[in-house]
Amino acid sequence: MDLKTLLIDLGNTALKWALLGDERTPQTVVHRDNAAFKDKLYAQWLELAPDRVLGCTVAAPELAFSATKFFNDHDIRWHWIRSQAAFESPGLTLRSAYENPAQLGADRWCAALGAIDAMPGESLLVVQMGTATTVDAVRHMGGNEYVFLGGRIAPGPTMMKKSLEAIPALRGEPTEWEAFPHSTRAAVTTGILDAQAGLVREAYETLLKEAGRVKVVLAGGAARFVEPRLRAQLPDVMLQHNLVLLGLAAQARHQLLKE
């Protein structure tokens, strides 16, 4: 009998979930500043009657605890993924070069696996733009072998804007990028977009020297704001959301093979 697997990506602002097989079209619940969603969400999960849950969480510990209690109360097997020294399956091996592999955020590890699933056979720069921006380098070593080399973390676009809004004169709605901003609003917007794109470009050029060819996989809630500026500077950008769920799906399929 086929097992029904529920995949969960619990982030700082939103929770995404899908059944294995439908991971590219997930459901999304914004949980930040929202306390009224749990009953409806748990009722949906109960109706799905999953046999097991595979999840990734690096934020919202109270919600993670609540969900875990729900699964326990209904005898649903669950596992919150942690980063590994290596992920090895018949079609993919990803090794971590992190000094302490367990210290790497599980979302970054899952996103790396998801990016490989979305664009196999390439050295990749995996960019997630949310509350924080993470830019991680994955080198293709040939065949099905990859190495997670490491990455960069910086404030995301919204966090950058909020930090500047501590100064009243810098408050205002975002506008378009300008080569030579003629207003304070445009100066703030342009500065943020250039900071985000520059972070990615620097990481891209560094990995390019190592790998010879690099593709950029871009994801996250803030990606759509930065994407036009980034595409103006880098040629190989692929917008692919739900990388964490894709990575969870890869791990779930591997576990099914072992059972």
Side-chain angles (χ1 to χ4, degrees):
M1 183 177 65
D2 292 335
L3 292 177
K4 187 183 289 185
T5 303
L6 177 64
L7 308 174
I8 299 174
D9 171 18
L10 177 52
N12 287 294
T13 300
L15 181 154
K16 294 183 178 182
W17 62 270
L19 289 177
L20 180 62
D22 294 324
E23 59 270 8
R24 292 179 184 271
T25 54
Q27 304 284 329
T28 302
V29 177
V30 176
H31 62 78
R32 178 173 287 182
D33 301 324
N34 178 9
F37 69 92
K38 287 183 186 177
D39 289 344
K40 180 180 178 181
L41 177 64
Y42 292 169
Q44 286 179 288
W45 287 350
L46 200 57
E47 187 175 350
L48 287 173
D51 297 290
R52 64 174 189 168
V53 173
L54 200 63
C56 174
T57 175
V58 292
E62 291 183 3
L63 180 52
F65 178 82
S66 173
T68 301
K69 183 178 184 303
F70 168 79
F71 300 137
N72 286 335
D73 288 346
H74 293 90
D75 296 318
I76 300 170
R77 287 189 297 153
W78 58 269
H79 178 59
W80 295 109
I81 289 290
R82 296 178 182 272
S83 297
Q84 306 159 277
F87 171 78
E88 298 180 81
S89 74
L92 167 64
T93 296
L94 176 63
R95 303 189 188 281
S96 177
Y98 232 56
E99 184 176 85
N100 179 0
Q103 192 180 53
L104 176 67
D107 57 333
R108 295 167 64 195
W109 180 249
C110 288
L113 288 167
I116 294 169
D117 182 80
M119 193 175 284
E122 301 284 354
S123 291
L124 302 170
L125 201 65
V126 185
V127 183
Q128 296 189 94
M129 291 185 170
T131 302
T133 293
T134 59
V135 184
D136 292 316
V138 176
R139 183 169 182 183
H140 180 224
M141 306 303 291
N144 295 322
E145 299 277 337
Y146 299 82
V147 176
F148 182 99
L149 295 177
R152 294 159 169 80
I153 303 176
T158 300
M159 189 182 293
M160 283 187 172
K161 186 174 185 300
K162 285 183 177 179
S163 69
L164 291 172
E165 285 176 344
I167 303 171
L170 300 182
R171 295 172 187 168
E173 291 301 311
T175 182
E176 300 294 323
W177 179 90
E178 295 179 10
F180 300 100
H182 290 91
S183 69
T184 300
R185 285 196 310 151
V188 168
T189 299
T190 299
I192 291 171
L193 292 177
D194 279 354
Q196 297 289 314
L199 174 69
V200 176
R201 187 181 66 248
E202 177 67 25
Y204 174 90
E205 291 174 354
T206 302
L207 180 56
L208 190 63
K209 292 175 184 177
E210 288 275 330
R213 186 174 76 168
V214 177
K215 303 288 186 181
V216 179
V217 184
L218 179 63
R224 68 184 187 276
F225 299 111
V226 183
E227 183 189 7
R229 181 62 184 144
L230 190 56
R231 285 192 184 279
Q233 300 187 35
L234 295 177
D236 295 315
V237 178
M238 173 188 180
L239 186 64
Q240 175 62 67
H241 291 300
N242 309 316
L243 289 178
V244 171
L245 287 176
L246 293 181
L248 286 170
Q251 293 173 86
R253 288 192 293 268
H254 175 60
Q255 288 186 7
L256 285 173
L257 287 175
K258 295 194 298 182
E259 294 177 355

